[in-house]
Amino acid sequence: MFFRTTGRRIVVLGGGEQAAQKTRLLLKTDAQISLIAPALDPELDHLVETGRARHDRTLDAKSFEGAAFAFIATGCPGFDAAAHALAQAARCPVNVVDRPELCDLTTPALVDRDPIVVAIGSEGTAPVLTRDIKTRLEEMLPQRLGGLAELAGRLRPAVARGVPRSRRRAFWAWVLKGRPREDWVRGREREAARAIKSAISAGGAPEEAVGQVALVGAGPGARDLLTLRAVTRLQEADVIFYDRLVDPEVLELARRDAERVFVGKHVGTHAWPQDRINAVILAEARQGKRVVRLKSGDPGIFGRAGEEIAALRAAGMPVEIVPGVTAASAAAASLGETLTERGVSDTLILTTASAQDGAPPPDSTRFAAPGTTTGFYMAVRQARRIQGALLARGMTADAPVRIVIDASTSGEQRLRCSLGTLCDTLRSAQCTGRAMILVTWPAQQMAIPAAPADLPAHADPEKDLVEHIA
């Protein structure tokens, strides 16, 4: 039930923290708040001083008369029961805190997008579950949604005058589910309001032909590491393009009727060429669809997002970038460590050991020095080359190395070793794929370049490590 509170009194019996919790809920309404207690805590006392609530020190038979409902929160079981009897005699619905058997009403968990309010209740049986459901709904409903609902309410008379009855349903569907809503929740309120008013003047919603593209970071694997914005874009998408590094559980966050298109590469098969991916994304968007290009980690970190952005912008298609949790951050979090540490590592380097087909391997160790932590992406097959290059730069063989395989997923492995045992550790773990290698060169260690005697030169370091693992 939703109670109308305008011009009505609500009683809160109690002056401590429990009473304050209920009063905070009432502050979201325009009710007349009546506090009854011999003394009030500072928070409640401030409400009285500012005129937001009134204070009565004593409870009597008339305290509940005419009240819309009441909260009883004194913390004394006997006094609460007596107050409950007085409330019943006055026919005032009542909630007695932590006494479900004495409650005529219970307070739900609320998702508040005023004037849109969602209430979740369990009749007092499972408050932890209701809070979990609340959290999920908070993720689904944008914070700005209430403002759009308020605008819609203000414009209803204008719509009644300017939009024919036969077109109103389609008009409101466009406002509340189409481009105006998308603009509004993304912070473009003025543009949304201008478009809505123009449509009213034109007698109905316009035909929309231009879609939207979002490059969304799926994070390292775990679906609960996606940002709220990433979840929102997945739930808005008409079509989603994804690759093999995206965990299937992440796709479960998308709309059930969204089209899912795999554009990655499985072992033994060919990947989609990048120009083909660019072309199909653009083609879908030009049909007016909301397109999500879902990339593992952060699309701006070794995700080849630049090529797709350039192609879309060249075609005049707007594109949004939604950042994600990158693998280096997820790996460090799984290890329970930080990527930087005062006095040990004050510089963080993110680099890749892989290159475009036909190009020589990048010099991914060129910035390594005392006081740095280097996160190596896509580096397993280049581990021996990295190991040799770091040793040659002066890093000692006992420098700490952490390896996290499939960070944040159910198959995650966390390994620790020294630089000198890096290749052996990867071989023992039979690691040939997705792994983040973190190497810290402590600040106090001096760089003494030396050619390692136990690492012979190899004509093909990638082949060497693959054979070594095999």
Side-chain angles (χ1 to χ4, degrees):
M1 279 189 170
F2 289 88
F3 284 77
R4 183 176 296 279
T5 59
T6 303
R8 305 187 71 186
R9 185 170 63 94
I10 298 176
V11 174
V12 179
L13 181 62
E17 175 57 28
Q18 287 185 331
Q21 291 173 3
K22 299 303 182 183
T23 305
R24 289 179 207 133
L25 180 64
L26 297 177
L27 291 175
K28 296 178 179 292
T29 75
D30 56 357
Q32 300 168 5
I33 303 172
S34 178
L35 303 173
I36 304 175
L40 302 176
D41 78 359
E43 178 183 356
L44 295 177
D45 196 44
H46 176 72
L47 296 177
V48 175
E49 291 177 356
T50 57
R52 186 62 182 88
R54 57 170 292 184
H55 179 206
D56 294 316
R57 296 182 181 278
T58 58
L59 176 69
D60 58 38
K62 297 182 179 181
S63 295
F64 297 105
E65 289 184 0
F69 57 89
F71 292 110
I72 297 176
T74 70
C76 174
F79 193 84
D80 284 353
H84 172 262
L86 288 176
Q88 283 203 316
R91 297 187 177 183
C92 174
V94 66
N95 173 281
V96 183
V97 175
D98 293 335
R99 298 286 298 276
E101 73 279 8
L102 297 181
C103 290
D104 300 311
L105 52 89
T106 57
T107 52
L110 295 178
V111 180
D112 190 355
R113 301 291 186 269
D114 185 30
I116 303 299
V117 179
V118 182
I120 310 105
S122 65
E123 297 185 357
T125 61
V128 173
L129 180 58
T130 60
R131 284 195 294 271
D132 180 63
I133 296 171
K134 166 185 164 68
T135 299
R136 294 175 184 271
L137 289 174
E138 291 279 7
E139 295 173 355
M140 293 172 58
L141 299 177
Q143 289 289 335
R144 295 186 176 92
L145 193 59
L148 179 61
E150 286 186 325
L151 176 65
R154 293 195 298 270
L155 291 177
R156 279 192 173 277
V159 172
R161 293 190 299 268
V163 179
R165 183 181 297 274
S166 61
R167 302 183 64 184
R168 286 178 198 166
R169 182 180 295 274
F171 173 83
W172 287 119
W174 170 74
V175 169
L176 299 174
K177 299 198 298 184
R179 178 62 63 83
R181 169 177 166 150
E182 292 167 5
D183 285 342
W184 189 280
V185 300
R186 296 183 189 192
R188 299 191 289 267
E189 292 96 338
R190 290 183 180 179
E191 292 86 341
R194 191 179 302 117
I196 295 170
K197 292 175 182 178
S198 295
I200 294 173
S201 299
E207 295 291 332
E208 292 187 332
V210 178
Q212 297 179 4
V213 179
L215 302 183
V216 176
R223 74 183 216 163
D224 57 353
L225 285 180
L226 266 72
T227 64
L228 294 180
R229 185 176 299 180
V231 173
T232 299
R233 297 299 175 264
L234 284 173
Q235 293 170 349
E236 294 172 346
D238 298 308
V239 58
I240 300 167
F241 295 95
Y242 69 100
D243 57 41
R244 69 179 181 87
L245 295 180
V246 173
D247 194 285
E249 287 194 0
V250 171
L251 291 172
E252 289 299 311
L253 295 171
R255 279 173 37 204
R256 294 296 178 191
D257 57 344
E259 183 181 0
R260 295 160 172 81
V261 181
F262 177 74
V263 295
K265 178 181 180 181
H266 285 305
V267 177
T269 64
H270 294 290
W272 280 41
Q274 187 61 52
D275 56 354
R276 182 185 175 194
I277 295 174
N278 298 345
V280 295
I281 291 174
L282 182 59
E284 295 288 352
R286 280 177 167 166
Q287 295 178 40
K289 295 181 181 180
R290 290 163 292 193
V291 180
V292 163
R293 173 66 168 109
L294 194 58
K295 292 176 171 287
S296 64
D298 184 299
I301 300 178
F302 308 121
R304 298 186 67 178
E307 300 172 44
E308 293 169 3
I309 293 169
L312 292 165
R313 287 178 176 169
M317 180 61 63
V319 57
E320 177 189 18
I321 303 172
V322 180
V325 176
T326 191
S329 298
S334 294
L335 291 163
E337 299 179 358
T338 59
L339 288 168
T340 60
E341 184 176 353
R342 188 167 59 179
V344 178
S345 173
D346 59 10
T347 300
L348 175 64
I349 302 162
L350 302 181
T351 185
T352 178
S354 297
Q356 290 181 315
D357 292 340
D363 183 6
S364 52
T365 64
R366 63 188 182 279
F367 297 117
T372 65
T373 292
T374 304
F376 292 95
Y377 290 70
M378 297 170 283
V380 172
R381 293 179 180 272
Q382 297 289 335
R384 181 170 291 278
R385 180 176 62 82
I386 291 169
Q387 181 188 51
L390 290 173
L391 289 170
R393 290 184 65 84
M395 185 181 290
T396 61
D398 61 356
V401 177
R402 289 88 72 212
I403 305 164
V404 181
I405 303 168
D406 293 330
S408 82
T409 70
S410 58
E412 178 184 276
Q413 297 181 62
R414 298 185 293 272
L415 309 171
R416 296 176 186 273
C417 64
S418 64
L419 178 60
T421 60
L422 171 60
C423 295
D424 290 337
T425 301
L426 290 170
R427 180 193 61 201
S428 298
Q430 298 182 336
C431 175
T432 58
R434 187 168 60 174
M436 171 57 58
I437 300 175
L438 300 173
V439 182
T440 296
W441 191 335
Q444 63 270 25
Q445 181 189 316
M446 296 299 295
I448 306 175
D454 59 336
L455 290 175
H458 295 279
D460 189 345
E462 178 175 341
K463 179 180 178 183
D464 174 83
L465 182 60
V466 173
E467 292 175 349
H468 190 47
I469 292 173

